[in-house]
């Protein structure tokens, strides 16, 4: 009797395996090989608690669309993660293909999403590994290390306490900080023509203009972002092909702010302070026709 029962059991199991091979395989993979369990990212002290039109925070780490993928990457970066694993949603047939597209070195989308996070949570490099079962692992190397953050934060606090007071409006504070950064730093003219290993300054980060007193557009923009964060003013960075600047929500509207172009390089070396790109709207920016502020409005939706 036992032999008959065993035979019937094995026969039934074989039939089920043949008929439902894919489902059984997926069950084993999901529950034994790769348990599809995602931890919720823990926000760090630099996590932004607001969303944007292009990307939003999410608790869904089983994305079923490209937009949901964007939101996952934004949330991972915004929360300051250095390593995180999530899974393609079961109905998302193009997930692996879309991730390959997003992580293609020729695709700018991850660097655009990077513009929406606090400078200290932004990445210097990011790698994404995936398998055919929808398991996605993201490894992130931050742009700023702890030593730099400590020095910069101390400098930001010192400057802020020296030049800002509570009687100022937000616009007055922004103007004062705009002027301070420009008057106390110079543009790094030698960066492009200097080999990476020979560069003396961290001009592309806030460390350049705030600590070393020299910067590029990335350094000017990050420096301004840090003060905006300190003032709890919503902002992000807009980038074109060769340039980047601040975009700020103030007095119930969005405005462009470009410290780099308000600190022009002169033949005499004289330090000039301008306000040509100080809190201007998109129409005014476009009318300047300088060719350096042409950006993809499908990626920066507030700035259409």
């Amino acid at each position: 009797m036992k032999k008959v029962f065993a035979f019937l059991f094995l026969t039934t199991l074989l039939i089920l395996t043949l008929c439902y091979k894919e489902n059984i395989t997926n069950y084993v993979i999901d529950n034994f090989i790769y348990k599809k369990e995602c931890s919720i990212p823990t926000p760090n002290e630099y996590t932004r608690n607001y969303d944007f039109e292009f990307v939003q925070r999410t608790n869904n780490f089983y994305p079923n669309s490209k937009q949901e993928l964007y939101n996952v990457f934004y949330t991972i970066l915004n929360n300051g993660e250095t390593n995180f694993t999530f899974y393609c949603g079961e109905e998302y047939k193009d997930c692996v293909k879309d991730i390959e597209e997003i992580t293609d070195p020729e695709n700018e989308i991850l660097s655009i999403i990077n513009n929406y996070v606090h400078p200290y949570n932004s990445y210097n490099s990011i790698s994404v590994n995936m398998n055919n079962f929808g398991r996605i692992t993201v490894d992130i190397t931050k742009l700023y290390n702890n030593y730099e953050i400590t020095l910069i934060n101390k400098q930001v606090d010192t400057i802020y306490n020296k030049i800002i007071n509570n009687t100022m409006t937000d616009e007055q504070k922004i103007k004062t900080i705009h002027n301070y950064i420009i008057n106390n730093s110079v543009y790094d003219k030698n960066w492009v023509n200097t080999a990476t290993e020979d560069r003396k300054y961290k001009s592309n980060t806030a460390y350049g203009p705030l600590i070393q007193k020299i910067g590029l557009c990335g350094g000017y923009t990050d420096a301004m972002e840090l003060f905006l964060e300190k003032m709890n003013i919503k902002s992000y960075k807009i980038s074109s092909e060769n340039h980047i600047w601040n975009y700020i929500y103030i007095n119930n509207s969005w405005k462009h702010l470009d410290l780099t172009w308000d600190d022009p390089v002169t033949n005499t070396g004289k330090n000039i302070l301008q306000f040509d790109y100080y809190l201007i709207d998109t129409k005014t920016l476009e009318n300047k026709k300088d060719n350096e502020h042409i950006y993809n409005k499908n990626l920066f939706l507030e700035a259409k």
Side-chain angles (χ1 to χ4, degrees):
M1 186 67 181
K2 290 183 178 180
K3 290 182 178 180
V4 173
F5 177 79
F7 174 78
L8 290 174
F9 175 78
L10 292 173
T11 302
T12 303
L13 181 60
L14 178 60
I15 292 172
L16 288 172
T17 301
L18 291 173
C19 293
Y20 303 100
K21 180 180 179 181
E22 182 177 351
N23 290 337
I24 292 174
T25 301
N26 288 340
Y27 180 84
V28 172
I29 290 170
D30 291 350
N31 291 278
F32 297 99
I33 299 177
Y34 295 119
K35 281 194 173 183
K36 290 190 175 180
E37 296 177 357
C38 291
S39 59
I40 302 299
T42 303
N44 67 7
E45 60 183 306
Y46 305 114
T47 298
R48 290 178 162 174
N49 61 354
Y50 45 80
D51 300 321
F52 303 95
E53 290 186 39
F54 183 64
V55 285
Q56 302 85 41
R57 293 163 296 167
T58 184
N59 286 326
N60 173 25
F61 298 101
Y62 305 88
N64 277 297
S65 69
K66 189 176 287 188
Q67 181 59 54
E68 289 182 4
L69 270 178
Y70 294 165
N71 292 343
V72 168
F73 278 108
Y74 171 63
T75 302
I76 293 171
L77 291 171
N78 184 48
N79 284 22
E81 296 288 332
T82 56
N83 178 270
F84 190 81
T85 296
F86 66 95
Y87 297 87
C88 292
E90 292 182 2
E91 304 301 320
Y92 193 2
K93 304 304 180 185
D94 292 329
C95 183
V96 172
K97 179 177 71 68
D98 284 348
I99 290 178
E100 289 175 345
E101 177 186 322
I102 291 170
T103 56
D104 187 316
E106 299 298 319
N107 195 331
E108 64 177 345
I109 196 65
L110 285 181
S111 64
I112 296 300
I113 294 173
N114 209 36
N115 286 352
Y116 285 95
V117 307
H118 188 293
Y120 293 161
N121 281 341
S122 64
Y123 70 81
N124 183 49
S125 64
I126 182 170
S127 64
V128 179
N129 297 303
M130 54 189 165
N131 61 30
N132 292 328
F133 306 114
R135 185 174 190 260
I136 317 300
T137 300
V138 183
D139 289 297
I140 297 165
T141 301
K142 300 289 188 64
L143 181 60
Y144 293 83
N145 60 44
N146 290 334
Y147 172 77
E148 292 167 344
I149 289 173
T150 299
L151 288 183
I152 294 170
N153 281 345
K154 183 178 180 180
Q155 182 73 336
V156 167
D157 288 343
T158 299
I159 294 169
Y160 191 86
N161 293 333
K162 180 180 179 181
I163 66 174
I164 301 298
N165 63 68
N166 293 332
T167 65
M168 294 178 173
T169 64
D170 284 345
E171 187 169 345
Q172 289 172 331
K173 292 176 182 178
I174 291 172
K175 187 174 184 178
T176 301
I177 293 164
H178 165 278
N179 296 355
Y180 179 91
I181 294 173
I182 291 174
N183 287 333
N184 289 274
S185 58
V186 296
Y187 188 80
D188 190 349
K189 298 182 293 183
N190 299 318
W191 175 275
V192 175
N193 298 319
T194 304
T196 302
E197 62 272 15
D198 295 329
R199 288 172 180 161
K200 299 178 181 179
Y201 307 108
K202 297 181 180 293
S203 304
N204 61 318
T205 75
Y207 192 91
L210 293 181
I211 304 298
Q212 299 172 315
K213 308 302 181 183
I214 185 169
L216 295 169
C217 57
Y220 282 106
T221 304
D222 271 14
M224 191 71 222
E225 283 287 299
L226 295 178
F227 284 100
L228 293 170
E229 285 291 317
K230 189 173 182 66
M231 293 186 286
N232 295 314
I233 295 175
K234 187 175 183 178
S235 67
Y236 62 83
K237 298 177 287 187
I238 293 183
S239 54
S240 60
E241 185 175 356
N242 298 308
H243 191 44
I244 192 166
W245 63 97
N246 304 97
Y247 196 50
I248 303 170
Y249 189 71
I250 182 171
N251 297 330
N252 299 315
S253 63
W254 285 95
K255 302 292 183 181
H256 299 269
L257 176 66
D258 191 340
L259 277 70
T260 309
W261 278 62
D262 277 349
D263 188 16
V265 176
T266 63
N267 293 328
T268 62
K270 184 179 180 180
N271 200 6
I272 295 178
L273 170 64
Q274 297 182 166
F275 297 94
D276 292 350
Y277 293 82
Y278 175 75
L279 297 183
I280 59 176
D281 59 27
T282 296
K283 184 177 180 179
T284 302
L285 181 70
E286 291 175 338
N287 287 338
K288 292 183 178 296
K289 302 184 186 301
D290 55 47
N291 296 322
E292 289 295 327
H293 293 87
I294 301 172
Y295 56 92
N296 188 339
K297 292 184 179 180
N298 292 319
L299 302 177
F300 305 104
L301 296 174
E302 290 87 354
K304 279 192 169 183

